[in-house]
């Protein structure tokens, strides 16, 4: 009997905290790349704000956005030759490797609470200079800490090429193995909606349908974003159908500890099937 055959519906009030995933997902197994050391990425946001990232070394950068600036540790993974996913946390509190809140990093200052932390993810394609930046942060809604993510699509070389929204995942059902103990499946329903289901792991049996967005980077390589409506989770990743893997992070809020959680991950994936709807001939 498979795991799913013994699972049943889990009421929302019985869902575990976000931190349940920390141990099961483990550390990213893909190595950090030093290729971007001494690289500067200068962008212009849609509102005209200048954003600059100076990658000083293989692991430390400075950032400037308008009048705000700071220093942070980062990790860059070369997903494909010349295509990088760069990730760091900034703000009044930042996160250690175990996902727990640590001291400030010299970034944006706030009220001294860890809700000021922000997770920044940059996808850079050096062949086209197209850059997508995702900044996930916390907001308070009706007394609850929730997440939101702002996207900037630009070109570091001043060219018109930017990542475009894509529908190429729609209809696919993909199985993700994050570790020996954590497995999930995704079903992509349309350009803005998908269903996730934990097949095995700390969230076994949990499932929901949430908002998502997809952008094409190159052949069979996509930026994928989702935001959860039950738990406070903002996820940004690269889905690589050619290499059969995903690389990314989840940024969330752990209610029991009242702390942010940053969870970098990678997975091996398998496309289980692709759904094609029958043509409606209007015949009964």
């Amino acid at each position: 009997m498979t795991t799913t055959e013994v699972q049943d519906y889990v009421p929302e009030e019985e869902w575990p905290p976000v931190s349940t995933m920390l141990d099961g997902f483990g550390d990213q197994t893909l190595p950090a790349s030093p290729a971007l050391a001494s690289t500067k990425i200068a962008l212009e946001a849609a509102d005209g704000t200048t954003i600059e990232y100076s990658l000083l070394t293989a692991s430390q950068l400075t950032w400037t956005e308008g009048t705000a600036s700071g220093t942070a540790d980062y990790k860059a993974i070369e997903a494909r030759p010349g295509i990088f996913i760069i990730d760091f946390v900034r703000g009044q509190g930042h996160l250690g490797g175990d996902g727990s809140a640590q001291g400030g990093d010299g970034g944006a200052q706030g009220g001294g609470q860890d809700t000021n932390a922000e997770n920044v993810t940059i996808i850079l394609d050096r062949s086209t200079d197209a850059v997508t930046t995702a900044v996930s942060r916390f907001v308070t809604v009706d007394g609850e800490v929730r997440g939101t993510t702002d996207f900037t699509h630009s070109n570091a070389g001043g060219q018109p090429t930017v990542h475009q929204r894509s529908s190429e995942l729609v209809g696919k059902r993909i199985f993700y193995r994050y570790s020996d103990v954590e497995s999930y499946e995704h079903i992509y329903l349309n350009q803005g909606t998908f269903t996730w289901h934990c097949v095995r792991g700390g969230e076994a049996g949990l499932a929901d349908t949430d908002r998502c967005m997809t952008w094409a980077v190159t052949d069979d390589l996509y930026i994928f974003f989702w935001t959860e409506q039950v738990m406070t989770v903002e996820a940004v990743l690269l889905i690589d159908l050619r290499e059969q893997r995903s690389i990314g992070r989840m940024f969330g809020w752990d209610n029991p500890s009242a702390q942010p959680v940053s969870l970098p991950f990678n997975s091996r994936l398998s496309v289980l099937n692709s759904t094609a709807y029958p043509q409606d001939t209007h015949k009964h």
Side-chain angles (χ1 to χ4, degrees):
M1 184 176 290
T2 64
T3 303
T4 54
E5 288 173 334
V6 299
Q7 293 172 358
D8 204 344
Y9 175 74
V10 182
E12 185 178 317
E13 60 270 18
E14 296 179 14
W15 284 32
V18 172
S19 57
T20 300
M21 295 182 288
L22 285 174
D23 292 336
F25 276 67
D27 296 326
Q28 281 180 326
T29 57
L30 294 169
S33 170
L36 296 179
S38 302
T39 296
K40 184 176 291 185
I41 304 171
L43 310 171
E44 184 175 318
D47 62 0
T49 302
T50 299
I51 306 170
E52 187 172 280
Y53 302 97
S54 295
L55 284 64
L56 307 176
T57 68
S59 61
Q60 190 174 65
L61 60 75
T62 60
W63 59 270
T64 303
E65 186 169 342
T67 59
S69 63
T71 302
D73 293 331
Y74 78 93
K75 183 177 183 179
I77 292 176
E78 193 167 10
R80 287 196 193 170
I83 300 175
F84 296 86
I85 180 167
I86 306 158
D87 196 71
F88 68 95
V89 177
R90 68 186 181 190
Q92 181 68 27
H94 73 280
L95 308 179
D98 61 354
S100 60
Q102 306 292 327
D105 64 0
Q109 299 300 304
Q113 300 179 15
D114 288 322
T115 51
N116 293 311
E118 297 179 335
N119 201 153
V120 181
T121 300
I122 304 165
I123 291 88
L124 167 66
D125 184 349
R126 300 188 86 176
S127 68
T128 63
D129 284 330
V131 181
T132 291
T133 305
V135 180
S136 296
R137 55 189 173 84
F138 298 115
V139 294
T140 301
V141 180
D142 297 331
E144 283 190 64
V145 177
R146 302 299 302 172
T148 187
T149 300
D150 300 317
F151 287 90
T152 300
H153 306 283
S154 51
N155 192 287
Q159 302 301 312
T161 302
V162 295
H163 300 131
Q164 301 291 333
R165 286 287 298 274
S166 172
S167 61
E168 292 176 44
L169 292 180
V170 174
K172 289 183 169 52
R173 186 172 191 155
I174 301 180
F175 185 72
Y176 295 90
R177 304 169 186 83
Y178 295 98
S179 72
D180 291 341
V181 296
E182 293 281 350
S183 299
Y184 286 71
E185 64 176 335
H186 290 181
I187 304 170
Y188 304 97
L189 303 175
N190 56 44
Q191 287 195 62
T193 316
F194 87 119
T195 295
W196 60 265
H197 168 223
C198 183
V199 177
R200 181 179 58 173
E203 294 186 331
L206 270 61
D208 206 358
T209 298
D210 287 313
R211 180 188 172 218
C212 67
M213 289 190 286
T214 305
W215 295 268
V217 179
T218 188
D219 292 344
D220 289 331
L221 182 65
Y222 308 95
I223 301 166
F224 185 69
F225 159 76
W226 84 81
T227 180
E228 298 190 16
Q229 58 185 337
V230 176
M231 294 192 289
T232 299
V233 170
E234 303 285 302
V236 179
L237 60 149
L238 283 173
I239 295 176
D240 193 334
L241 298 186
R242 189 189 77 184
E243 301 299 323
Q244 297 187 312
R245 66 188 178 196
S246 70
I247 309 165
R249 54 82 169 170
M250 284 182 278
F251 187 61
W253 183 258
D254 185 60
N255 282 316
S257 63
Q259 289 185 355
V261 173
S262 182
L263 179 60
F265 63 81
N266 57 252
S267 77
R268 303 304 305 178
L269 68 83
S270 301
V271 178
L272 301 180
N273 59 56
S274 296
T275 299
Y277 293 105
Q279 295 297 313
D280 187 358
T281 60
H282 302 288
K283 292 180 180 180
H284 299 283

